[in-house]
Every structure is written in structure tokens, then in C-alpha cells.
Amino acid sequence: MKKLELKFTNQDGKTVNYSIDQPVEPVDTATVNAAMDEILQQNAFTSSGGDLVAKKSARIVERIVEEVEMQ
């Protein structure tokens, strides 16, 4: 399953991650940047280290899990 991870910096200078399941692909960089700007402008989220103050990065993460058969 793929996820879009949005990384922000909070008032304490720590990284705060938000994940969105099943992002639309291909990812539109301009749309992601605009959404992150809007999250900051609207002060939509907070963290234990205070409000979000800056964008840090965004990335697509894919996790593949393969079960190992036990005998």
C-alpha cells in the first residue's frame, strides 16, 4: 500500500508526519505544495511540540509485506 507522507516542522523544531493513504498518482508536486501551504496557513493541525511552522518534505512511501509460512 502506498502513502503520501507530509513532513512539517513544529515550534519545537521537531518533525511532524501526516500520512494520506492511497494518494492519487502521479503525484502533482504543485498540488502537494499548495495543500501543505494551506495546512500551515489555516493552522489546521497542532502537535505536542506546538503549532506547525514550516514545510519540511513530502514523499511517497510503499510498504510491501510478505508473509513467511511457518511449519
Side-chain angles (χ1 to χ4, degrees):
M1 174 189 289
K2 290 186 180 183
K3 294 185 179 201
L4 172 62
E5 278 189 2
L6 306 177
K7 295 179 175 271
F8 296 89
T9 303
N10 65 15
Q11 289 175 320
D12 282 350
K14 297 190 177 176
T15 301
V16 178
N17 298 321
Y18 292 99
S19 295
I20 300 168
D21 291 338
Q22 300 174 341
V24 174
E25 291 191 89
V27 174
D28 181 357
T29 304
T31 302
V32 171
N33 270 298
M36 292 178 78
D37 287 339
E38 188 68 20
I39 288 168
L40 291 171
Q41 182 180 27
Q42 296 292 324
N43 199 22
F45 301 111
T46 189
S47 69
S48 59
D51 293 339
L52 305 180
V53 295
K55 295 183 290 185
K56 185 168 184 178
S57 65
R59 64 185 184 175
I60 295 287
V61 176
E62 184 172 13
R63 181 172 178 226
I64 299 172
V65 177
E66 186 176 328
E67 294 291 331
V68 175
E69 188 176 321
M70 304 301 293
Q71 296 182 9

